């Protein structure tokens, strides 16, 4: 069991976020440390009077110097603590039908079940997020499931110090065939950590594996692919946007296509022509193979490698039009100082798309920049619509898939936002 021997005292008047159960404590809110905490150690968070409020792990090298694990400072942070948190997260995915309840292999009087991750799959979907960091009460830890393998990301020093133990708890809970650590996100640099990609347990996943999502098959490279290999957070949006009533017989433009997941869904919905644009030749090659894997070999389909803005401008100059356009760009804003420039980029991108849509066409547009909230993003798209002279109806607000939950006390966890629009 870990114990805290250090108290982190907050400045007078800076304890409200803790009382509101926000898990981050920034350096500017800290008065002093009472004790000798090493980076990654547990600390007791207290108000300026010394009243204990929570237990967190500490990293003086980060702007976010403490991340709260428990709002009960008396709760032991031991083997059972980590197992309970992991079990709670996995059971939430079982409620979504993404993990069979019999796959939880640690028995207890309450649950009394044993199983193995590699068995009893839900046939339509075999990949999902199991642990979503702060939103699941495990700040800095991401765990994704791909078939009977797990991919974990340790994004903070506190989690990185405990990753061996956490991998062991995941083995106890789920008995996966293997656990790959993909701790290669840029955010680790802010924690004073280097990037790491290595096996933590069991068999290494193959260089390329096949997953199933809502009945569609996709080739995934969990070793080198974006995020942990696939954009699992777009699962629900792909299903929402690619309905036969919306896309059957239509021409679809998929921009920032990556490996073509939206394209596969569009083909399954009956789209007659799909044009996929991405800057990466290997990604587009994978997109082509994903289309073939699902039995779609449409002669009018097209793959275009190039800068999205330049391609859209070219289409505009050539007078090309489409019935539906998907815009799923990478993050444009990594800091508050980049938000204004990011919004200009989103506006330009959406303006170009709006000029390419036929009357009654669909625009499916996203931002994954956490610093650009849903309200601001909608205002940006509104500005693009005004400048393009188009009337735009919002049919549906979109967000990350249900296995990427949003914690109400942590609005930062709502990073993905999107709009499904009809354009006149």
């Amino acid at each position: 069991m870990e114990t805290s021997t250090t108290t982190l005292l907050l400045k007078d008047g800076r304890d409200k976020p803790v009382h509101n159960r926000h898990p981050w404590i920034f350096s500017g809110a800290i008065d002093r440390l009472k004790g000798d905490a090493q980076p990654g150690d547990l600390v007791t968070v207290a108000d300026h009077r010394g009243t204990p409020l929570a237990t967190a792990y500490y990293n003086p090298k980060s702007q976010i110097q403490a991340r709260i694990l428990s709002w009960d400072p008396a709760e032991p942070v031991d083997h059972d603590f980590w197992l309970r948190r992991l079990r709670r997260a996995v059971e939430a995915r079982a409620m979504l039908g993404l993990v069979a309840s019999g796959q939880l292999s640690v028995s207890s009087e309450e649950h009394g079940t044993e199983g193995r991750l590699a068995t009893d799959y839900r046939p339509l979907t075999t990949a999902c997020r199991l642990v979503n960091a702060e939103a699941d009460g495990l700040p800095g830890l991401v765990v994704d499931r791909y078939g009977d393998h797990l991919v974990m990301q340790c994004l903070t020093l506190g989690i990185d110090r405990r990753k061996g133990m956490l991998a062991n708890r995941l083995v106890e809970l789920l008995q996966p065939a293997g656990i790959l650590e993909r701790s290669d996100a840029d955010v680790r640099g802010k924690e004073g950590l280097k990037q790491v990609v290595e096996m933590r347990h069991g068999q290494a996943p193959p260089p390329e594996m096949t997953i199933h999502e809502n009945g569609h098959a996709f080739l995934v490279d969990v070793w080198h692919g974006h995020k942990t290999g696939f954009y699992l957070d777009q699962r629900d949006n792909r299903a929402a946007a690619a309905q036969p009533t919306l896309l059957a017989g239509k021409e679809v433009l998929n921009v920032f296509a990556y490996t073509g997941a939206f394209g596969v869904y569009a083909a399954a919905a009956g789209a007659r022509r799909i044009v996929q644009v991405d800057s990466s030749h290997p990604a587009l090659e994978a997109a082509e193979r994903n289309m073939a894997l699902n039995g779609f070999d449409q002669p009018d389909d097209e793959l275009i490698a190039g800068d999205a803005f330049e391609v859209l401008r070219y289409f505009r100059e050539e007078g090309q039009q489409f019935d539906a356009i998907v815009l799923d760009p990478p993050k444009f804003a990594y800091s508050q100082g980049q938000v204004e420039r990011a919004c200009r980029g989103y506006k330009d991108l959406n303006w170009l798309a709006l000029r390419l849509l036929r009357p009654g066409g669909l625009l499916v547009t996203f931002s994954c920049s956490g610093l650009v909230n849903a309200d601001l993003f909608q205002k940006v798209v509104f500005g693009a619509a005004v400048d393009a002279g188009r009337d735009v109806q919002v049919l549906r607000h979109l967000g990350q898939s249900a296995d990427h939950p949003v914690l109400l006390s942590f609005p930062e966890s709502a990073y993905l936002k999107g709009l499904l629009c009809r354009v006149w």
Side-chain angles (χ1 to χ4, degrees):
M1 182 179 73
E2 295 186 72
T3 58
S4 168
T5 60
T6 301
T7 299
L8 184 151
L9 291 160
L10 301 175
K11 293 177 180 177
D12 189 4
R14 301 300 295 272
D15 56 350
K16 184 177 179 181
V18 180
H19 289 293
N20 287 339
R21 303 176 80 86
H22 192 284
W24 289 355
I25 299 175
F26 290 88
S27 57
I30 298 172
D31 182 16
R32 67 186 189 278
L33 285 179
K34 188 177 179 181
D36 184 22
Q38 298 300 310
D41 282 356
L42 295 182
V43 295
T44 299
V45 179
D47 64 18
H48 72 286
R49 301 183 185 88
T51 304
L53 303 175
T55 299
Y57 60 73
Y58 173 68
N59 183 5
K61 297 180 181 180
S62 174
Q63 184 184 5
I64 305 170
Q65 292 200 354
R67 297 174 190 257
I68 294 174
L69 290 170
S70 174
W71 277 270
D72 178 3
E75 182 179 16
V77 179
D78 54 13
H79 171 282
D80 289 341
F81 170 87
W82 298 104
L83 200 57
R84 283 195 307 272
R85 289 294 172 90
L86 291 169
R87 176 183 284 278
R88 185 176 74 180
V90 174
E91 286 180 338
R93 280 65 181 181
M95 291 175 65
L96 298 172
L98 296 170
V99 178
S101 59
Q103 291 172 264
L104 301 179
S105 63
V106 177
S107 62
S108 67
E109 292 183 4
E110 179 183 357
H111 300 92
T113 58
E114 291 193 4
R116 182 176 174 81
L117 188 63
T119 61
D120 299 326
Y121 284 153
R122 181 173 184 251
L124 292 180
T125 299
T126 62
C128 69
R129 175 147 298 181
L130 295 179
V131 178
N132 197 37
E134 280 85 349
D136 279 308
L138 290 162
L141 178 65
V142 169
V143 181
D144 290 339
R145 166 202 173 194
Y146 292 94
D148 58 351
H149 285 80
L150 301 180
V151 181
M152 66 185 296
Q153 286 187 319
C154 305
L155 304 177
T156 58
L157 177 62
I159 290 297
D160 194 74
R161 272 189 43 179
R162 297 164 177 85
K163 61 187 178 183
M165 174 273 298
L166 289 165
N168 290 338
R169 299 294 82 77
L170 288 166
V171 172
E172 288 181 48
L173 186 63
L174 293 166
Q175 297 184 0
I179 300 177
L180 170 66
E181 181 185 353
R182 272 286 305 272
S183 297
D184 53 357
D186 292 339
V187 70
R188 278 173 61 93
K190 297 180 179 180
E191 293 278 311
L193 297 169
K194 296 179 180 179
Q195 297 188 3
V196 175
V197 177
E198 62 185 19
M199 288 300 300
R200 285 278 144 213
H201 165 77
Q203 303 171 5
E208 188 173 70
M209 63 170 61
T210 302
I211 64 165
H212 294 86
E213 180 183 282
N214 293 326
H216 308 302
F218 296 99
L219 300 168
V220 175
D221 178 359
V222 298
W223 288 91
H224 306 102
H226 292 184
K227 292 202 169 186
T228 60
F230 196 67
Y231 286 95
L232 300 170
D233 53 359
Q234 288 281 21
R235 180 193 311 106
D236 295 348
N237 298 327
R238 287 189 278 265
Q243 299 294 323
T245 52
L246 298 175
L247 297 185
K250 305 296 185 181
E251 288 187 276
V252 177
L253 175 61
N254 182 20
V255 187
F256 304 100
Y258 188 42
T259 57
F262 272 103
V264 168
Y265 274 74
R272 68 177 176 86
R273 178 177 180 243
I274 301 166
V275 177
Q276 310 213 61
V277 178
D278 200 274
S279 61
S280 168
H281 285 274
L284 289 175
E285 290 172 1
E288 185 174 32
R289 289 190 293 133
N290 278 328
M291 293 289 280
L293 183 64
N294 289 275
F296 303 123
D297 183 15
Q298 303 176 144
D300 292 336
D301 288 354
E302 193 172 355
L303 300 169
I304 300 176
D307 177 87
F309 291 88
E310 293 179 2
V311 173
L312 293 179
R313 290 189 184 98
Y314 172 79
F315 285 159
R316 177 171 167 256
E317 292 169 359
E318 292 294 307
Q320 292 200 44
Q321 288 192 309
F322 297 88
D323 301 299
I325 298 178
V326 178
L327 302 175
D328 186 19
K331 184 186 293 188
F332 283 178
Y334 289 88
S335 67
Q336 193 64 46
Q338 296 177 340
V339 170
E340 184 177 350
R341 180 180 178 183
C343 287
R344 290 198 300 269
Y346 287 127
K347 183 177 180 181
D348 189 23
L349 184 66
N350 283 275
W351 179 83
L352 287 166
L354 288 167
R355 297 296 297 269
L356 297 176
L357 278 167
R358 296 186 177 102
L362 290 177
L363 175 66
V364 189
T365 181
F366 297 98
S367 165
C368 64
S369 299
L371 293 167
V372 177
N373 62 34
D375 181 61
L376 177 57
F377 182 63
Q378 181 164 319
K379 289 177 180 176
V380 168
V381 178
F382 161 74
V386 170
D387 288 355
R390 306 297 297 266
D391 291 323
V392 178
Q393 301 170 324
V394 177
L395 304 182
R396 186 167 178 175
H397 289 85
L398 305 172
Q400 60 237 43
S401 299
D403 54 342
H404 294 62
V406 175
L407 187 65
L408 277 179
S409 59
F410 184 58
E412 292 87 345
S413 55
Y415 65 93
L416 180 63
K417 73 289 302 179
L419 300 169
L420 172 60
C421 304
R422 178 81 69 187
V423 179
W424 299 100

